[in-house]
Amino acid sequence: MEKTPSYFVTKEAPSRVCTMNCQTKLIVVVRDPVTRAVSDYTQTLTKNPGLPSFQSLALKNSSTGLVDTTWSAVRIGLYAKHLENWLQYFPLSHFLFVSGERLVSDPAGEMGRVQDFLGLKRVISEKHFYFNQTKGFPCLKKPEGSSRPRCLGKSKGRPHPQIPSEVLQRLRDFYRPFNQRFYQMSGQDFGWD
């Protein structure tokens, strides 16, 4: 088992993974690309407080509203383009696309899908999660033999900066055709409009 957020968006990764094992099962967690871009920006902003505004990075020109696809926070959300690359090496049946939104709203349900996809007995259920009010998402209850519950680290669950609604709408409009293509390719409608 291997986990990294960069494999799905790295051009060389599919051929390298296939060279290792073309029967690999691949789990990809995706979320609304606009929310993902804002979250990416928020994480970078905590490491680099002098970062330019989100809108100045996301848009090449504020008056034309042209989206800057060279900015990685925008480019990563072009899921259809990344999936096209992977489908050259792996059939769609080797992929499970996990909804980041459903992972928050129904973690046990999404984990059930993961367990089924991997051919595992369903052992993770609702009883293993609790909602952490501070973080704003579910966390694992404390494992047996441990003194504390497991929750994502400090870099997760931070409040996002206020982004002008017209910038967010411009990004939604930009991503819409890519999202529709991804829904067609993956066979799942994630409802990101």
Side-chain angles (χ1 to χ4, degrees), residues 17-18 20-26 90-91 93-95 117:
V17 172
C18 189
M20 184 181 71
N21 183 352
C22 286
Q23 299 308 307
T24 300
K25 290 187 174 187
L26 304 155
F90 294 91
S93 62
H94 284 225
F95 288 87
F117 175 71

Side-chain angles (χ1 to χ4, degrees), residues 118-191:
L118 295 175
L120 302 172
K121 180 181 169 189
R122 282 195 178 206
V123 295
I124 300 171
S125 66
E126 304 242 349
K127 70 179 184 180
H128 293 97
F129 298 94
Y130 75 96
F131 190 80
N132 182 311
Q133 295 291 346
T134 306
K135 291 269 183 193
F137 51 77
C139 299
L140 285 172
K141 289 183 178 173
K142 97 177 168 177
E144 290 181 35
S146 173
S147 60
R148 353 197 231 106
R150 297 246 328 150
C151 209
L152 296 174
K154 293 177 190 169
S155 69
K156 304 297 181 189
R158 291 180 299 252
H160 291 173
Q162 283 295 111
I163 309 295
S165 59
E166 59 274 9
V167 173
L168 297 176
Q169 187 57 53
R170 179 65 197 108
L171 283 171
R172 280 188 200 92
D173 294 343
F174 166 77
Y175 280 118
R176 189 169 292 110
F178 295 101
N179 291 345
Q180 292 302 319
R181 177 82 176 115
F182 181 63
Y183 299 167
Q184 290 172 335
M185 294 171 75
S186 68
Q188 283 182 255
D189 183 337
F190 291 90

Side-chain angles (χ1 to χ4, degrees), residues 40-54:
D40 187 311
Y41 174 78
T42 303
Q43 185 163 351
T44 306
L45 190 60
T46 60
K47 297 173 189 168
N48 182 1
L51 202 62
S53 70
F54 178 86

